[in-house]
Amino acid sequence: MVITDKGKSDSDKMPEVSPAEAKVLKFLTELKKDTLPISEANIEVEGLNEREISSAISWLEKKELINVQKTEHHTFLLTEEGRKFIKEGLPEERAFQLSEKNKGTTPSEIMKQLGSKDGKIAIAQLAKLGIKPSQGIIDVSRGIGNIEEIFIRRKSFLAGLPESAISDPDTLEHFKKREDIIAEKKRTERTVAPTDLGMRLSKVVTTEDVVSEVTPEILQNESWKGRNFRRYDLNAPVERINSAVYHPITFLIEKVRRIFLDMGFTEMTGHYVEYAGWNMDSLFIPQDHPARDMQDTFYLDSDREIPFEDSEAMKIFRKVHENGIEGYSGWGYRWKEEIAREKVLRTHTTVSTIRYLYKHKESPQAAFSVEKVFRHESVDWKHLAELHQIEGTYYAKDANLSTLFWLMKEFYGRLGFHDLKFIPSYYPYTEPSLDVVVNINGKEMELGGSGVFRPEVTRPLGLKEPVVAWGLGLERLAMIYYGFEDIRDIYRTDIDWLRKFPLRF
Ligand code: PHE
């Protein structure tokens, strides 16, 4: 829009208006004083439809150029049900006619003829009019007053809506209490009048045609040529927009994935529900190992089959557990397939590694995953029952402890943690076993386990070279990465807190 030079000092402080707003404002200020305020419905401006006028009014009000008064109007309209009753007659009327025709009727006959919903209404309404069954018979000749007149009044009320709601308030009250025949509709009427500021602005404002939006059409047909453009205030204050960012846990998962992908690892995926056989037996964990206890592992009571063919693998597990392999004695007990066929929520993603290597026996292999595992833990500041593991394996002729050290140093180094320590540990499936500890600001945090798989794990599956593997806690890592004191913080969802982490790649 264009503000003319007239009254420049004044117009400097004046709000800007769009051409549509200018037109509406002009219309209002040109009206005779005694016609103000005017109802929105009576505003007619050339070139503007109802919606555009309505939007212009809202903007003019915001800019304090007009005063707007709102009045609520209630109107009553017929519902679908109401329309049906006009056509078929009200239920009470139909029941009345039935009784009249048969010289008395019964409630069950009414229900039969009208259906149970309308039948119930009819009986209740007749009762209100004083017609109640006596010895099981509804006889309308015992009614009080002229009942038919009431029916006519009710029907003409329905047919006469919305006006009849004003002319017959008694019947309105009646139908308001009945369900679903009439519906109340609220409409807000706005009446408007220009303010002093609006009056002054309308004198300097022009409604001249301006280009307010540059569209491809305007550019193509060159119709913008010779026209004025709407002015934009580039310094106008705007609302702050919070754009989408990553949740801290998603961000860290993504970061970890990118590191391993960059290092040439292949991503593995697995399954929440696993056979105990793969989760444990494949890793040479004896069937009476305490970790298999209900205390630590969630067992599933389900007959659903897991859709993998595992009988070959189960045979292998039995052989290793019962008899060992050449040079290694095994556990020497009777291995039970039922135990291996129990279903568990996987307690670690090392099960994915084992499945992966079983399928990819040719070396070298480098694979990783960042996936969820489940443990029967009581949740506290350092423990979760549902957590992610950063799992990985390197299977190659030259794989050894140094490779493992190097891989861990490289991985954590890329996340910014350079002070690592490996301490001797124990896992039934690795030898040696090492736990990874990170030193951060003088505090040590244990991040997970690692090691070289025992021959009892690798050889029976047909893996001929050494395999190094690790399973690291993602949430523990998140604690030190973000500086959380409590591991549960990672799963917070309140938006104000999350906005403190503007995480993007
Ligand atoms: N699976 C072990 C755990 O859940 C970690 C681990 C993985 C240890 C691979 C050694 C080798 O803690």
Side-chain angles (χ1 to χ4, degrees), residues 347-350 375 389 391-392 427 429-430 433-434 448-451 453 469-472:
T347 57
H348 55 186
T349 38
T350 314
R375 288 177 186 183
Q389 281 192 323
E391 191 77 29
Y427 296 96
Y429 37 96
T430 45
S433 305
L434 297 162
S450 67
F453 277 147
W470 55 90
L472 313 162

Side-chain angles (χ1 to χ4, degrees), residues 101 139 143 169 189 199 217 244 276 306 312 403 425 431-432 467 472:
K101 196 174 94 197
D139 184 358
E189 191 198 9
M199 284 294 201
E217 289 73 39
I306 299 181
E312 268 318 302
T403 334
S425 182
E431 180 60 40
V467 180
L472 313 162

Side-chain angles (χ1 to χ4, degrees), residues 378-423:
S378 25
V379 173
D380 62 26
W381 70 275
K382 218 173 152 185
H383 295 93
L384 293 168
E386 204 180 316
L387 55 131
H388 290 83
Q389 281 192 323
I390 305 166
E391 191 77 29
T393 186
Y394 179 60
Y395 164 46
K397 204 169 164 180
D398 57 5
N400 56 35
L401 264 194
S402 308
T403 334
L404 179 64
F405 290 152
W406 181 84
L407 283 167
M408 292 297 97
K409 283 196 170 136
E410 185 62 26
F411 167 65
Y412 285 109
R414 290 192 189 202
L415 284 168
F417 301 108
H418 301 283
D419 197 354
L420 288 196
K421 211 161 80 176
F422 296 87
I423 56 172

